[in-house]
């Protein structure tokens, strides 16, 4: 199997993401994790950009032992000298020289003729080569460069001493079949047998990974990429996606990387945290939803055999486990398994009962957490017969109206409805319940507590009500606090009725 080299440019191109700049200490932390990940080359920065950048690369060079440390330079002596200074202590150093070669860059950006580009390329490589053996050359904007000129520059760069030729799709304009053809044509036109052929793709059309992989399929043996795909504009090719594609398709790439894939998730979170660039939840490999399932059919499949809906074992990329998200699309199977993990083994009817309540709450809340389930469990476990059930509640409230509640209760098959005004929405609601049930109580205590997190948290209402000579405590939970209050009061009423029945008395 051939080796595909992973050239990580998170600390150079990745750091060029708008707003992503890193302190030297942060760059070193990322470099240490890249070493643990086992990348082959770390592009540590662009020394000519600032003295701080030189210091950061020096620090990285001092501490990082295994990977090659690369620094970027234009075809300028001063840039190359800055690279040499920052790479002084590096065990295995590389200078990465780039020069634009496309018509548009020559005419508008560099204002130089092709002849001058050839001269600059050769001279800068020869200059750097006196000090460092490992030289990479990139004809910037290669995908928009006239092919014959690209061939000429690449041949010259190799003659001058380049050991790696990197073909960048600088503006991310290429399509995989085009980029693959460019790589094949280049291999046919230039003798690349003594150098590494690398690619560096940007993601302006969302094709960075696809283009990079096509190039590897066509013979490239080094790929430049970043953690989470961060980089200029729409970013670079994402390292984790490239690596996992190569790992999962050895028949296509006939090669392998040395990446320790179990480190991928950790470094993804670290880079996101330090750069402040979030990882989209549905991002392949490292997104928070990459191993999460909500649909009942999928959850059922996963529980029967994980591979029905997962092509990667989450632990292979450092994710602890597959996550079955409990939400409105979840089914009984997932709920039952989740409850078992929480230590609850329910009987069939209990599970059915809980499932109905779970669906009710899932319609109002995006995700159901363990605390939500605990409340539901309590409701179904310690339940007295529900003579009255809440069917509907409507509140009119505000600082200019008298709070009014309309409540509809179910008693067997009967629907009973009434309205009442009160000092507040909860008071109005309790008065409406009293009118319907005929059970009058005095509220002694009322407290409300958020028991799950987030704006859509479940609130638990605890009350103490005095019915004649009896004091009853009850609780009700809902994402709507008035509904939670109504549930608590109904529970108190139902408990009261139950107690009276137990004593052989009829309901009041
Ligand atoms: O995108 C690009 O062309 C680059 C070069 C410096 C390789 O980042
Ligand atoms: Zn780039």
């Amino acid at each position: 199997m051939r080796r595909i080299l992973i050239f990580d440019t998170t600390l150079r191109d990745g750091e060029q993401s708008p707003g992503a700049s890193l302190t030297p200490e942060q760059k070193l932390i990322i470099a240490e994790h890249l070493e643990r990940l086992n990348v082959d080359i770390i592009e540590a920065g662009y020394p000519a950009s600032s003295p701080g950048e030189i210091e950061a690369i020096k620090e990285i060079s001092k501490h990082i032992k295994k990977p090659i440390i690369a620094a970027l330079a234009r075809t300028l002596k001063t840039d190359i000298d800055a690279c040499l200074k920052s790479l002084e202590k590096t065990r295995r150093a590389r200078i990465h020289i780039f020069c634009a070669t496309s018509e548009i860059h020559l005419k508008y950006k560099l204002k130089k003729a092709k002849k001058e580009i050839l001269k600059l390329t050769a001279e800068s490589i020869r200059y750097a080569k006196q000090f460092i053996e490992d030289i990479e050359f990139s004809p910037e904007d290669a995908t928009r460069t006239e092919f014959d000129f690209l061939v000429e520059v690449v041949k010259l760069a190799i003659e001058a001493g380049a050991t790696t030729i990197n073909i960048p799709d600088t503006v991310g304009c290429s399509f995989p079949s085009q980029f693959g053809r460019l790589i094949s044509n280049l291999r046919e036109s230039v003798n690349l047998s003594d150098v590494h052929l690398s690619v560096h793709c940007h993601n302006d059309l969302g094709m960075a990974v696809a283009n990079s992989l096509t190039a590897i399929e066509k013979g490239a043996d080094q790929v430049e990429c970043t953690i989470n795909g961060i980089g200029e504009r729409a970013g670079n090719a994402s390292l984790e996606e490239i690596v996992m594609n190569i790992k999962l398709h050895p028949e296509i790439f006939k090669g392998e990387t040395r990446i320790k894939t179990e480190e991928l998730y950790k470094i993804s979170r670290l880079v996101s945290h330090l750069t402040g660039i979030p990882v989209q939840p549905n991002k392949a490999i490292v997104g928070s939803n990459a191993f999460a399932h909500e649909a009942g059919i999928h959850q059922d499949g996963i529980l029967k055999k994980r591979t029905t809906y997962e092509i990667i074992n989450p632990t292979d990329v450092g994710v602890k486990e597959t996550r079955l998200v409990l939400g409105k699309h979840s089914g009984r199977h997932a709920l039952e398994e989740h409850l078992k993990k929480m230590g609850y083994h329910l009987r069939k009817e209990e599970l059915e009962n809980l499932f109905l309540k779970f669906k009710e709450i899932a319609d109002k809340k995006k995700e159901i957490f363990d605390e939500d389930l605990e409340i539901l469990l309590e409701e179904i476990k310690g339940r007295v017969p529900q003579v009255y059930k809440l069917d509907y509640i409507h509140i009119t409230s505000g600082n200019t109206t008298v709070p009014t509640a309309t409540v509809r209760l179910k008693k067997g098959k009967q629907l009973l409805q009434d309205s009442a005004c009160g000092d507040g929405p909860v008071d109005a609601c309790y008065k409406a319940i009293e009118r319907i049930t005929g059970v009058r109580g005095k509220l002694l205590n009322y407290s409300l507590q958020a028991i799950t997190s987030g704006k859509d948290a479940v609130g638990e209402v605890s009350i103490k009500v005095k019915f004649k000579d009896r004091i009853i405590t009850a609780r009700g939970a809902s994402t709507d606090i008035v509904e939670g209050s109504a549930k608590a009061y109904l529970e108190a009423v139902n408990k009261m009725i139950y107690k009276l029945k137990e004593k052989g008395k009829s309901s009041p």
Side-chain angles (χ1 to χ4, degrees):
M1 282 259 220
R2 68 184 174 126
R3 263 280 302 288
I4 296 153
L5 300 171
I6 298 296
F7 177 114
D8 180 276
T9 183
T10 305
L11 297 177
R12 199 277 297 169
D13 214 325
E15 205 202 359
Q16 286 172 223
S17 306
S21 74
L22 299 159
T23 63
E25 295 75 30
Q26 291 174 327
K27 287 187 84 150
L28 180 60
I29 295 172
I30 294 176
E32 283 167 347
H33 278 77
L34 288 170
E35 183 172 41
R36 220 166 290 153
L37 184 65
N38 224 16
V39 302
D40 299 283
I41 303 112
I42 294 175
E43 187 165 48
Y46 174 41
S49 66
S50 75
E53 183 80 337
I54 296 181
E55 288 315 307
I57 302 171
K58 272 188 173 173
E59 274 306 296
I60 292 171
S61 297
K62 234 194 284 170
H63 290 89
I64 303 300
K65 309 280 181 244
K66 280 191 290 168
I68 294 171
I69 306 295
L72 185 71
R74 290 169 292 181
T75 52
L76 299 173
K77 251 180 143 186
T78 47
D79 274 26
I80 295 168
D81 288 341
C83 285
L84 292 170
K85 197 169 164 196
S86 51
L87 294 172
E88 253 169 17
K89 296 260 174 357
T90 313
R91 288 187 176 190
R92 301 169 71 202
R94 173 179 297 186
I95 295 186
H96 176 190
I97 300 172
F98 75 101
C99 185
T101 49
S102 66
E103 198 72 38
I104 184 166
H105 277 232
L106 262 57
K107 187 169 172 192
Y108 296 102
K109 187 181 86 173
L110 299 177
K111 301 191 190 335
K112 288 191 194 308
K114 285 179 180 169
K115 245 166 99 186
E116 288 174 274
I117 300 300
L118 292 170
K119 189 164 177 277
L120 283 171
T121 301
E123 282 179 2
S124 57
I125 295 174
R126 278 198 205 106
Y127 177 69
K129 193 77 180 177
Q130 297 174 79
F131 311 99
I132 283 185
E133 168 55 29
D134 189 345
I135 307 290
E136 173 168 331
F137 176 74
S138 295
E140 191 192 10
D141 205 13
T143 46
R144 292 193 298 175
T145 298
E146 188 200 328
F147 185 69
D148 288 346
F149 185 55
L150 184 66
V151 168
E152 201 177 348
V153 178
V154 168
K155 276 184 178 166
L156 192 69
I158 296 171
E159 270 169 35
T163 44
T164 297
I165 294 296
N166 177 48
I167 303 300
D169 182 21
T170 302
V171 291
C173 62
S174 207
F175 188 76
S177 52
Q178 285 176 319
F179 196 60
R181 211 173 311 126
L182 175 66
I183 298 301
S184 298
N185 290 344
L186 197 66
R187 291 186 71 208
E188 274 167 24
S189 311
V190 184
N191 178 7
L192 296 163
S193 54
D194 293 332
V195 296
H196 289 292
L197 178 59
S198 171
V199 288
H200 173 114
C201 299
H202 279 270
N203 206 29
D204 299 66
L205 287 170
M207 289 292 168
V209 169
N211 282 334
S212 305
L213 292 170
T214 308
I216 296 168
E217 203 188 345
K218 299 292 179 194
D221 66 344
Q222 176 182 293
V223 60
E224 302 197 353
C225 43
T226 59
I227 301 297
N228 300 334
I230 61 169
E232 281 282 3
R233 307 179 309 280
N236 288 67
S238 121
L239 181 148
E240 53 281 0
E241 293 176 25
I242 287 176
V243 165
M244 291 313 288
N245 269 281
I246 295 172
K247 186 170 175 164
L248 265 68
H249 292 296
E251 77 290 0
I252 295 175
F253 299 106
K254 298 180 177 51
E256 60 193 358
T257 71
R258 289 204 313 188
I259 294 298
K260 289 187 180 147
T261 59
E262 323 80 70
E263 295 288 326
L264 286 171
Y265 185 71
K266 206 189 301 162
I267 193 164
S268 159
R269 296 296 123 168
L270 175 81
V271 169
S272 169
H273 174 69
L274 295 181
T275 58
I277 301 176
V279 178
Q280 72 191 63
N282 58 325
K283 164 94 173 62
I285 319 296
V286 290
S288 56
N289 287 349
F291 299 97
H293 310 262
E294 187 180 312
I297 295 168
H298 289 216
Q299 292 183 335
D300 183 52
I302 285 278
L303 287 165
K304 287 172 178 157
K305 182 129 182 94
R306 189 188 57 76
T307 47
T308 51
Y309 285 101
E310 272 181 5
I311 57 161
I312 297 170
N313 189 334
T315 55
D316 284 354
V317 297
V319 173
K320 228 166 78 201
E321 58 186 358
T322 297
R323 202 161 58 92
L324 299 186
V325 178
L326 291 179
K328 79 171 189 183
H329 302 106
S330 304
R332 285 174 183 75
H333 194 172
L335 179 65
E336 188 179 14
E337 288 305 313
H338 192 92
L339 289 167
K340 277 185 197 161
K341 271 195 193 164
M342 288 170 68
Y344 295 104
H345 297 262
L346 300 195
R347 280 181 284 116
K348 217 172 162 219
E349 323 78 73
E350 283 176 329
L351 180 67
E352 199 49 41
N353 203 348
L354 188 87
F355 185 67
L356 293 175
K357 291 191 163 296
F358 163 79
K359 282 282 171 181
E360 231 175 73
I361 198 166
D363 263 336
K364 298 177 191 161
K365 220 171 170 280
K366 283 195 193 312
E367 193 174 337
I368 310 294
F369 299 101
D370 288 2
E371 302 96 302
D372 300 314
L373 291 176
E374 300 273 7
I375 297 162
L376 296 183
L377 277 161
E378 229 177 86
E379 276 188 24
I380 66 148
K381 289 268 183 186
R383 163 126 296 162
V384 295
Q386 284 188 280
V387 177
Y388 292 102
K389 285 186 194 166
L390 184 65
D391 183 59
Y392 164 93
I393 186 163
H394 179 81
I395 302 291
T396 317
S397 184
N399 56 1
T400 53
T401 47
V402 177
T404 312
T406 301
V407 176
R408 190 164 68 219
L409 302 182
K410 245 190 199 166
K411 188 180 185 196
K413 287 194 174 136
Q414 258 184 299
L415 283 175
L416 308 163
Q417 181 169 319
D418 213 330
S419 303
C421 299
D423 294 338
V426 173
D427 186 46
C429 166
Y430 284 8
K431 286 196 168 119
I433 292 174
E434 282 181 357
R435 286 167 74 106
I436 299 171
T437 59
V439 180
R440 269 174 236 299
K442 186 168 180 234
L443 188 65
L444 299 180
N445 216 323
Y446 176 97
S447 74
L448 169 67
Q449 203 187 355
I451 37 177
T452 60
S453 48
K455 278 193 198 136
D456 58 355
V458 171
E460 187 183 62
V461 175
S462 306
I463 55 170
K464 211 182 257 184
V465 192
K466 188 169 183 199
F467 296 103
K468 293 192 179 141
D469 55 346
R470 255 175 225 274
I471 292 177
I472 299 217
T473 56
R475 284 190 295 177
S478 169
T479 48
D480 178 312
I481 56 169
V482 181
E483 187 182 330
S485 306
K487 280 183 172 176
Y489 199 75
L490 273 179
E491 185 178 294
V493 169
N494 285 328
K495 274 186 180 174
M496 183 62 207
I497 294 169
Y498 183 61
K499 285 198 171 133
L500 289 174
K501 272 196 181 150
E502 263 186 336
K503 274 199 154 190
K505 294 183 186 168
S506 58
S507 58

